Amino acid sequence: MDRRRFTPSSEDLEGRQLLSLFGGKSQAQLQANQPVTVVQKAIRIERLPNLFQTVQNGRFVPKETVSRLQSDLQDIVGRLPKVPSQSTRVNFELTLRKVLSNASLSRESVQSLNHTFTQVMTSAGISEPALANLQTNMNDLMHADAQGVNPTSLAANDYAIVLETALAVGRPLRQPGAPRLQATDDSGVKGDGETSAVQPHLVGMYEASATIDIVDKNRQVLGTATSSANGMYVVRFAKPLAPGSYTVGVRATFGDIQSPVSPMITLKIVPKATLAVPQGPRSLARR
């Protein structure tokens, strides 16, 4: 096997090359084709054993180590708040190239891979406990790689695969679009956000089976519902609202994983006008 190869097959990584992923790509390009739902992220994690086999078919990879890595990745689903800096990605790419140029896998090479891997993950905002678990299990994987054929190729590929997977599944869930006032509650000029309903409904679309919360500017939850199988949601304010203006948005949650809050909208609760008692024309006063 050519030791310079460390690009998994297009079947599992949608044709993206790991080298180009970490160097010379814009932020928009890096975000393209990323899994945005919990289900998509789980599928990416499930593929991990197959990704390792694309590096060298039939290779030995300890099942226990792979299982622990999958658990590590599951723990960071939707929990990497930042896009890693360009400099850390470039340093990681340069380390991959340097390791691949070596004839054997030295302790120094593994330390360099671990160091630049840590830089990228730290730049992405990973927690210290989650990073420590990944480091421990990657070290175990490197012990297995050192015993294999072309260990430098195995090590470089494995670090690239785990890092790419971690950054993909760690990205926050997709932000919901701005909700809309339900048409039947829109008692003012259509689309102006005014309503006489004191417990109005917000509607929109998201992924199926997500918990959808109405939240205010302080992230206080004002109402909760679940999106349907087709992704549509209708969520009602839990308590009556007093007359006035309210700035609100929606947030999606799967388990304990939350999405960013949607763009905020303004609602105005306007009481129904009291009907005036009809009055006849005033009589003219006599002079």
Side-chain angles (χ1 to χ4, degrees):
M1 173 183 251
D2 185 349
R3 288 187 293 110
R4 293 171 297 175
R5 176 185 179 276
F6 61 105
T7 305
S9 69
S10 59
E11 177 183 359
D12 290 303
L13 285 179
E14 293 79 45
R16 284 173 286 143
Q17 295 182 346
L18 292 174
L19 265 179
S20 62
L21 178 68
F22 296 109
K25 290 285 187 177
S26 68
Q27 299 296 344
Q29 289 171 312
L30 287 168
Q31 294 175 12
N33 299 318
Q34 295 293 318
V36 296
T37 69
V38 169
V39 172
Q40 290 171 338
K41 293 173 188 292
I43 291 173
R44 183 65 64 86
I45 294 171
E46 290 172 2
R47 289 178 177 177
L48 190 62
N50 294 332
L51 294 178
F52 287 144
Q53 289 301 318
T54 63
V55 179
Q56 188 180 94
N57 191 32
R59 60 181 287 201
F60 170 72
V61 184
K63 291 184 179 180
E64 298 81 3
T65 300
V66 176
S67 179
R68 288 195 298 269
L69 283 169
Q70 288 176 306
S71 179
D72 295 341
L73 293 169
Q74 188 63 51
D75 288 342
I76 64 171
V77 166
R79 290 187 170 88
L80 296 183
K82 305 175 185 177
V83 175
S85 68
Q86 179 73 10
S87 62
T88 61
R89 292 194 303 268
V90 170
N91 286 339
F92 180 73
E93 176 187 348
L94 293 175
T95 300
L96 293 177
R97 293 182 183 278
K98 184 176 180 180
V99 170
L100 285 168
S101 68
N102 296 331
S104 61
L105 183 63
S106 66
R107 177 178 297 180
E108 290 73 18
S109 293
V110 173
Q111 290 175 341
S112 294
L113 287 169
N114 184 278
H115 177 66
T116 52
F117 174 88
T118 297
Q119 285 182 324
V120 178
M121 294 303 299
T122 300
S123 179
I126 191 172
S127 68
E128 291 184 5
L131 177 59
N133 289 337
L134 274 171
Q135 290 173 321
T136 296
N137 292 316
M138 286 304 296
N139 283 333
D140 290 343
L141 184 58
M142 291 303 101
H143 285 299
D145 289 350
Q147 307 303 316
V149 178
N150 293 324
T152 56
S153 174
L154 296 178
N157 272 282
D158 288 351
Y159 260 103
I161 287 171
V162 172
L163 183 56
E164 191 275 346
T165 304
L167 294 179
V169 304
R171 287 182 55 77
L173 300 183
R174 180 175 69 84
Q175 180 188 37
R180 306 182 308 279
L181 181 63
Q182 185 169 269
T184 54
D185 291 335
D186 194 346
S187 51
V189 177
K190 297 302 181 183
D192 67 356
E194 290 192 4
T195 178
S196 59
V198 295
Q199 287 179 271
H201 301 77
L202 299 184
V203 299
M205 298 290 295
Y206 196 69
E207 314 302 334
S209 303
T211 298
I212 304 295
D213 296 324
I214 302 174
V215 296
D216 62 16
K217 292 184 291 185
N218 297 320
R219 303 303 188 256
Q220 180 179 354
V221 176
L222 305 177
T224 300
T226 301
S227 57
S228 64
N230 66 3
M232 180 177 293
Y233 66 81
V234 179
V235 55
R236 183 189 188 196
F237 283 83
K239 297 180 180 180
L241 301 176
S245 294
Y246 298 84
T247 301
V248 296
V250 294
R251 178 182 63 200
T253 304
F254 288 90
D256 61 347
I257 305 171
Q258 296 179 341
S259 76
V261 175
S262 73
M264 307 294 270
I265 64 170
T266 299
L267 295 180
K268 188 175 182 180
I269 308 300
V270 181
K272 292 181 179 179
T274 303
L275 293 177
V277 177
Q279 297 180 355
R282 295 180 180 179
S283 59
L284 296 175
R286 292 181 181 180
R287 294 183 178 180

